[in-house]
Amino acid sequence: MEITLKGDKEFDEIPSLKTKCLRINLNENIYGTFAEIGAGQETVRQFFRAGGASGTIAKAMSAYDKAFSDAIYGIEDDKRYVTEARLRKMLDHEIGLVEKRLTREDHPHKMFFTYANTVATIDFAKKYKGHGWIGIKYQVDSDQGYNEIVLHFRFKETDARLQQETLGILGTNLIYGAFYKYNEPKKLLRYLYDHIDKDQIEIDTINFAGPVFKDIDNRLMSLQLVKNGMTDAVMFAPDGNNVLPARVLYKKNILTLRGSFRPVTKVNMDMYKKSYEMFIKENKVDTEKTQVIFEITLSNLRAEGEIDEQDFMDRARLLCSLGQTVLISNFQEYYKLVEYFSQYTKARMGLAMGVNNLIDIFDEKYYRHLSGGILEAFGKLFFKDLRVYLYPIQNDDGTLTDSENLKVHPRMKELYKFFKYNGKVVDITDYDESTLSVFSRTVLKMIANGEDGWEGMLPEGVSNLIKEKSLFGCETEQIHLGE
């Protein structure tokens, strides 16, 4: 029995890499292959070093040459190698070989697995840090089907050797977690960073599939990545599924609308439609290469209280039902959002927002952490060819506030005039007057109080979805989306 002393504190003991590998190696039933491309055989090396690997590793291989890789796995339609499609082909091919070469009659208790990665490390000029896809296809019982965990990551380190070592640790954590932490997927995510600092690697997409994950909502798991600080943002396509942001944003013109969307209202959709009409008329904006993003931030300038994960997912579900692409981010300030998009595109960007949001942007208190203060933030926000499309707000007395008469702090007045004069802030003039009095908070209050009439304030179909899924307290029995 372990000795305890007075004053000892409980803590989570993180197993060493050797302990993780050895536990798997010593299990006589875990058996499979490693296929690693692009950064050396860094993961399997951990298992070889731990000892006892002969009963676990059936094969370790690296098809580094493109011709050999194509001969084994086929040629991708886009001719690329570091993609999710490539990784899944590797997993399917290698597990197929295991099943083909080892009969169940001779190995009735073996739990087969294949671990694979396809990676691009930092380039010679050190301008592109690199990224990769890793995944595991595996069984936890020889009588069950296969489970899958697939994730995308980005390197933050600037040394190829360090990146290789980090990849080996990440792969080991994934394999160990897949076998021994699959019953607690949220914890499994955190364990991926065992012996890795968040400054070394960013995980921005993850998907679970298979019998042991049949009750897992991958959208909620992606939200955990943001909540845990593993990535700054995750994205959901109109079909509601996780999607890699780089795939959607690469070299695109981007128009973004930030809001609470709790729930999405007619005024939100009018702002989107009218700003989009203005955006596509701008120079250098190609309609075929334009992407609209509805963004919900976990760190809203006005947000308070604990994060309700399911609440965020409900909002995203409603937006996706309207055919929109949704980004859930950890960005408090707008300039950080623009910096994030700048990783993927140099094309023109636009921000559509209401008057109150623009007034918040000109509030100095949000930039005290920057050495250059608000000027540094605005340099990052407007240095690109960016334009703000401003939607007016209706005051209690029936008057409107727009870019011509909004009031910012006296110290910011001249700065605001500068951006206004240079066309960085433009009014949305062709708005729907009937929607100006619609606010999400009003709709939410009406739903909570059981009042009638809120349905007409929402886009077509949204009210029915809210009622069907009992969102925002619409009915006494709460049934969250995803269940």
Side-chain angles (χ1 to χ4, degrees), residues 154-169:
R154 294 186 176 278
F155 289 116
K156 294 185 177 181
E157 295 166 309
T158 56
D159 180 85
R161 181 180 58 82
L162 294 177
Q163 289 184 350
Q164 291 173 336
E165 292 176 358
T166 299
L167 175 63
I169 298 171

Side-chain angles (χ1 to χ4, degrees), residues 428-455:
I428 297 174
T429 56
D430 185 25
Y431 51 84
D432 184 350
E433 294 184 14
S434 66
T435 67
L436 288 178
S437 59
V438 175
F439 295 95
S440 292
R441 60 180 179 272
T442 303
V443 175
L444 202 60
K445 186 176 180 181
M446 293 176 71
I447 293 175
N449 295 336
E451 299 177 32
D452 295 326
W454 56 269
E455 295 91 342

Side-chain angles (χ1 to χ4, degrees), residues 270-470:
D270 190 51
M271 185 188 301
Y272 148 63
K273 291 173 183 175
K274 300 305 165 53
S275 61
Y276 179 76
E277 290 171 3
M278 297 173 69
F279 185 61
I280 60 175
K281 292 178 182 177
E282 301 280 0
N283 293 331
K284 303 177 183 177
V285 175
D286 182 351
T287 307
E288 298 299 319
K289 295 182 179 179
T290 296
Q291 179 65 52
V292 177
I293 302 294
F294 280 69
E295 185 237 3
I296 306 172
T297 176
L298 298 183
S299 300
N300 193 287
L301 295 176
R302 298 179 181 274
E304 295 179 358
E306 287 296 315
I307 294 171
D308 184 339
E309 299 169 7
Q310 192 62 60
D311 177 61
F312 273 87
M313 293 312 308
D314 292 345
R315 298 186 233 175
R317 171 72 177 272
L318 291 179
L319 289 167
C320 290
S321 73
L322 295 171
Q324 302 303 326
T325 300
V326 180
L327 186 79
I328 296 183
S329 82
N330 212 20
F331 304 121
Q332 183 179 36
E333 301 89 355
Y334 272 99
Y335 78 86
K336 289 184 178 178
L337 180 62
V338 172
E339 279 189 313
Y340 175 78
F341 289 147
S342 297
Q343 297 178 91
Y344 306 111
T345 184
K346 299 185 184 302
R348 182 175 285 239
M349 299 183 203
L351 297 174
M353 66 181 71
V355 169
N356 288 336
N357 293 92
L358 186 62
I359 293 174
D360 278 337
I361 286 179
F362 279 85
D363 193 331
E364 290 181 284
K365 71 180 181 183
Y366 298 117
Y367 312 107
R368 289 171 184 159
H369 62 288
L370 296 176
S371 58
I374 194 170
L375 292 180
E376 179 181 341
F378 278 25
K380 294 177 178 180
L381 180 63
F382 288 109
F383 89 101
K384 294 284 184 184
D385 199 5
L386 180 138
R387 184 161 290 168
V388 172
Y389 301 94
L390 193 65
Y391 200 83
I393 187 172
Q394 188 175 57
N395 305 310
D396 293 337
D397 60 3
T399 60
L400 295 180
T401 299
D402 57 18
S403 70
E404 298 295 338
N405 60 358
L406 69 81
K407 289 180 171 50
V408 297
H409 192 282
R411 286 199 301 270
M412 298 294 105
K413 190 174 182 179
E414 296 304 317
L415 184 62
Y416 170 72
K417 283 183 178 180
F418 170 80
F419 289 111
K420 170 66 176 169
Y421 177 79
N422 284 281
K424 296 295 186 181
V425 179
V426 295
D427 284 309
I428 297 174
T429 56
D430 185 25
Y431 51 84
D432 184 350
E433 294 184 14
S434 66
T435 67
L436 288 178
S437 59
V438 175
F439 295 95
S440 292
R441 60 180 179 272
T442 303
V443 175
L444 202 60
K445 186 176 180 181
M446 293 176 71
I447 293 175
N449 295 336
E451 299 177 32
D452 295 326
W454 56 269
E455 295 91 342
M457 301 180 183
L458 308 184
E460 185 177 353
V462 171
S463 61
N464 291 335
L465 190 56
I466 290 175
K467 291 176 180 178
E468 290 170 7
K469 300 298 182 180
S470 307

